[in-house]
């Protein structure tokens, strides 16, 4: 008897199922995202059927009656988290790996996902935890060559080069590792579905079964997901919904630092980051990222200002560079990297109107150093100060920190968590802080806080010396 093969069309963005093809997914509204998928269901008679007995069968619901337990009786605790000794990695996860959880690590090809996970595997193995590393992308020799560059512990990791999900699951069930790493989800496929590995249906089904395996066995499962051009993981939304935790590994191609960021975490905070440097011998955690992004503050040119961003619960100091130069013919250019271009347009208008800085004839370039994104309005004041510094061609005080949102009236507004930001600044020797008058913290140590009300207040302070 052959199972009836049914065709559905699935949206690669949101995973919604459609009986017919359409140009636009009516669930998420994206265009050209529906792909054909064959949904072959297993013929009845295996696995589930054995359980489908007893009272429930009489009702025709096909389930079985199981005992429930109160939450008090559920065993397990936070303390059971596995630690890798790679502190930044444990931190981003919320304090280590939760047994039985499933974690997706997304990132562009070549960013270092396999390297990071092989190091994690080695560290766990060294602490006496069994790890199974499943590679569907590389040969055993390729993985071994990578391991040779990393810590010696990586050599003890058990490797399975396999792409068939059923084999992966059977092997893992026999071995009972504490952690299984599947590199990558796009190369794994199940024999129960037609369609090539990497197709949305395959990715979803394999992820769902790996998730079930994690929950039933207590093995923590990491899956690697390559990010597509649009910035999503194949069938991104659905994959992100399935797993417990989503980590993104990011970095600028030309720079050697990498940022690991939690964007979803059922067992910890989101937006926490860990910073690493890619070296000849793998990834090295950077304990003090501010140092990396800040550079040397003793010789500062005009157009440079520093602010403190909150990345999750941790402050991060970043340098903003601005350059205002005489424009050629035509519309002056506005180019910003790491800072929203509409926000820049707004700031330029405010600076023009409220502080009389003439940008109409100037090309303006703004760059947040180190590939960091200035995602908070708290960085406004630093951008404004950098712009003014460039226009006047006068360097800002070298050890100053700028914190504040700039309003349309040119007023400076206080920022959240200013104590933490100030403390990070002080740690790095930034002892003069410009911030909203209303936001000056009561108790201040080692810091000279200059409370300001408006953008012209700030400029008077800075340039009328
Ligand atoms: P990889 O982990 O293979 O990336 P991904 O799995 O995300 O595709 O890392 C690829 C890059 O990292 C590659 O360009 C080589 C570099 N690399 C190092 O610089 N040092 C190392 O020790 C290792 C293992 C890789
Ligand atoms: Mg890889």
């Amino acid at each position: 008897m052959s199972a009836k093969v049914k065709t559905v069309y699935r949206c690669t963005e949101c995973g919604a199922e459609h009986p017919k093809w359409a140009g636009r997914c009516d669930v998420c509204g994206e265009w050209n995202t529906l792909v054909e998928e064959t949904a072959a269901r297993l013929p009845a008679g295996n696995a589930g059927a054995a359980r489908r007995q007893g009272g429930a069968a009489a009702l025709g619901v096909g389930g079985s009656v199981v005992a429930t337990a109160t939450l008090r009786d559920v065993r397990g605790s936070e303390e059971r988290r596995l630690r890798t000794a790679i502190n930044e990695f444990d931190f981003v996860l919320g304090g280590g790996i939760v047994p039985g959880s499933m974690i997706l690590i997304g990132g562009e090809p070549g960013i270092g996902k396999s390297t990071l996970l092989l190091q994690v595997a080695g560290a766990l193995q060294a602490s006496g935890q069994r790890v199974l590393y499943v590679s569907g992308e590389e040969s055993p020799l390729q993985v071994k060559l990578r391991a040779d560059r990393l810590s010696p512990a990586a050599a003890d990791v058990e490797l399975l080069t396999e792409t068939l999900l059923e084999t992966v699951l059977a092997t893992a069930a026999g071995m009972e590792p504490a952690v299984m790493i599947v590199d990558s989800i796009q190369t794994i496929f199940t024999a129960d579905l037609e369609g090539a590995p990497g197709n949305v249906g395959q990715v979803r089904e394999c992820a769902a079964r790996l998730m079930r395996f994690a929950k039933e066995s207590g093995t923590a499962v990491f899956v690697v997901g390559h990010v597509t051009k649009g910035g999503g993981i194949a069938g991104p939304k659905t994959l992100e919904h399935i797993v417990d935790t989503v980590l993104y590994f990011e970095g600028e191609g030309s720079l050697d630092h990498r940022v690991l960021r939690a964007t979803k975490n059922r067992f910890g905070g989101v937006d926490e980051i860990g910073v690493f440097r890619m070296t000849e011998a793998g990834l090295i955690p950077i304990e003090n990222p501010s140092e990396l992004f800040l550079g040397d503050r003793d010789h500062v040119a005009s157009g440079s200002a520093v602010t403190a961003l909150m990345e999750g619960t941790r402050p991060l100091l970043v340098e903003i560079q601005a350059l205002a130069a005489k424009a050629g013919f035509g519309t002056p250019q506005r180019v910003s990297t790491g800072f929203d271009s509409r926000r820049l347009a707004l700031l330029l208008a405010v600076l023009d109107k409220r502080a009389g800085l003439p940008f109409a004839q100037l090309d303006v370039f703004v760059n947040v150093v180190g590939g960091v994104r200035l995602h908070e309005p708290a960085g406004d004041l630093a951008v404004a100060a950098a712009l003014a510094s460039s226009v006047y061609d006068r360097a800002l005080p070298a050890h100053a920190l700028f914190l504040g949102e700039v309003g349309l009236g040119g007023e400076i507004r206080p920022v959240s968590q200013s104590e933490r930001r100030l403390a990070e600044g002080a740690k790095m020797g930034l002892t003069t802080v410009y911030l909203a008058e209303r936001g000056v913290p009561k108790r201040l140590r080692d810091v000279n806080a200059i409370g300001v009300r408006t953008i012209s207040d700030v400029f008077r302070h800075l340039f009328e010396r």
Side-chain angles (χ1 to χ4, degrees):
M1 188 191 86
S2 73
K4 189 165 179 290
V5 176
K6 197 179 110 200
T7 298
V8 295
Y9 295 86
R10 191 174 301 282
C11 173
T12 54
E13 266 312 297
C14 69
E17 221 179 84
H18 303 262
K20 283 202 301 256
W21 190 84
R24 181 167 185 251
C25 171
D26 56 18
V27 176
C28 69
E30 285 295 318
W31 288 92
N32 291 324
T33 54
L34 297 199
V35 292
E36 185 175 353
E37 183 181 296
T38 32
R41 281 284 134 234
L42 285 176
N46 54 37
R51 279 193 254 130
R52 242 176 265 139
Q53 287 167 358
L59 298 172
V61 289
S64 54
V65 179
V66 296
T68 58
T70 61
L71 291 173
R72 192 178 301 110
D73 297 331
V74 175
R75 270 180 286 152
S77 70
E78 279 278 305
E79 281 77 71
R80 284 185 56 232
R81 283 182 189 248
L82 305 172
R83 296 188 187 264
T84 63
I86 303 175
N87 288 339
E88 295 298 290
F89 185 79
D90 291 348
F91 172 77
V92 173
L93 282 175
I97 304 165
V98 174
S101 66
M102 180 149 149
I103 302 119
L104 171 68
I105 300 210
E108 286 172 21
I111 204 73
K113 301 180 294 297
S114 302
T115 305
L116 178 66
L117 289 176
L118 198 54
Q119 284 182 248
V120 165
L124 286 166
Q125 197 78 38
S127 72
Q129 304 290 346
R130 280 193 99 181
V131 183
L132 175 61
Y133 193 107
V134 181
S135 178
E137 298 200 332
E138 293 165 311
S139 69
L141 181 61
Q142 282 175 300
V143 182
K144 180 198 153 54
L145 291 177
R146 180 182 292 117
D148 285 346
R149 299 170 68 169
L150 310 174
S151 79
D156 292 326
V157 174
E158 301 211 31
L159 176 69
L160 171 68
T161 45
E162 179 61 64
T163 53
L164 182 63
L165 179 74
E166 284 74 9
T167 308
V168 171
L169 289 177
T171 309
M175 180 181 155
E176 298 182 358
V179 172
M180 170 160 76
I181 293 162
V182 178
D183 188 0
S184 66
I185 190 72
Q186 278 104 342
T187 57
I188 303 292
F189 74 102
T190 163
D192 292 339
L193 288 183
E194 283 177 24
N199 113 356
V200 199
Q202 284 284 3
V203 166
R204 262 168 43 97
E205 181 64 19
C206 292
R209 288 215 217 154
L210 285 164
M211 180 72 165
R212 211 174 311 142
F213 170 77
K215 295 289 170 260
E216 286 171 6
S217 65
T219 294
V221 176
F222 285 88
V223 293
V224 170
H226 291 296
V227 165
T228 56
K229 280 205 198 70
I233 297 168
K237 297 282 172 352
T238 38
L239 211 48
E240 292 184 359
H241 285 314
I242 293 171
V243 301
D244 296 307
T245 301
V246 179
L247 306 180
Y248 272 93
F249 207 32
E250 311 159 330
E252 294 286 306
S254 56
L255 301 168
D256 60 3
H257 71 262
R258 303 279 182 269
V259 177
L260 185 68
R261 185 188 301 274
T263 59
K264 167 182 175 178
N265 196 351
R266 289 190 180 137
F267 306 110
V270 291
D271 292 329
E272 293 294 5
I273 65 164
V275 182
F276 298 83
R277 198 193 332 258
M278 182 62 98
T279 69
E280 282 298 299
L283 292 153
I284 297 181
I286 296 180
E287 310 269 306
N288 189 352
S290 290
E291 208 167 330
L292 174 76
F293 293 116
L294 209 51
D296 179 9
R297 294 304 295 169
D298 288 336
H299 309 280
V300 177
S302 67
S304 161
V306 178
T307 191
L309 289 176
M310 291 306 295
E311 293 282 2
T313 56
R314 300 201 286 197
L316 177 70
L317 300 182
V318 290
E319 178 186 350
I320 289 139
Q321 296 182 337
L323 183 67
K326 203 152 180 291
F329 291 106
T331 321
Q333 296 194 64
R334 277 37 185 146
V335 181
S336 64
T337 313
F339 185 66
D340 182 54
S341 53
R342 275 166 306 180
R343 192 89 199 152
L344 175 61
L346 184 149
L347 280 183
L348 291 175
V350 172
L351 291 180
D352 190 326
K353 182 105 178 161
R354 311 289 175 194
L357 289 185
F359 286 105
Q361 316 294 326
L362 298 174
D363 283 338
V364 173
F365 304 90
V366 171
N367 178 34
V368 184
V369 176
V372 180
R373 272 208 71 75
L374 207 60
H375 54 81
E376 289 185 292
D380 285 354
L381 183 55
V383 176
L387 284 166
S389 159
S390 179
V391 170
Y392 294 129
D393 198 17
R394 286 181 56 187
L396 297 168
H399 299 281
L401 179 67
F402 294 87
L403 293 177
E405 180 178 344
V406 176
L408 289 181
E411 76 279 15
I412 311 297
R413 297 162 178 271
V415 304
S416 64
Q417 311 196 51
S418 46
E419 280 96 345
R420 287 199 140 148
R421 301 180 204 246
L422 289 179
E424 181 72 7
K427 201 167 93 188
M428 297 300 294
L430 304 184
T431 44
T432 303
V433 183
Y434 291 83
L435 74 177
E437 198 170 53
R438 282 187 293 131
V440 179
K442 295 263 167 351
R443 279 171 296 137
L444 275 177
R445 284 173 46 208
D446 316 326
V447 175
N448 171 29
I450 301 173
V452 285
R453 279 189 197 187
T454 64
I455 204 82
S456 9
D457 258 7
V458 185
F459 295 164
R460 218 171 295 126
H461 245 286
L462 291 170
F463 304 113
E464 289 177 16
R465 284 175 284 153

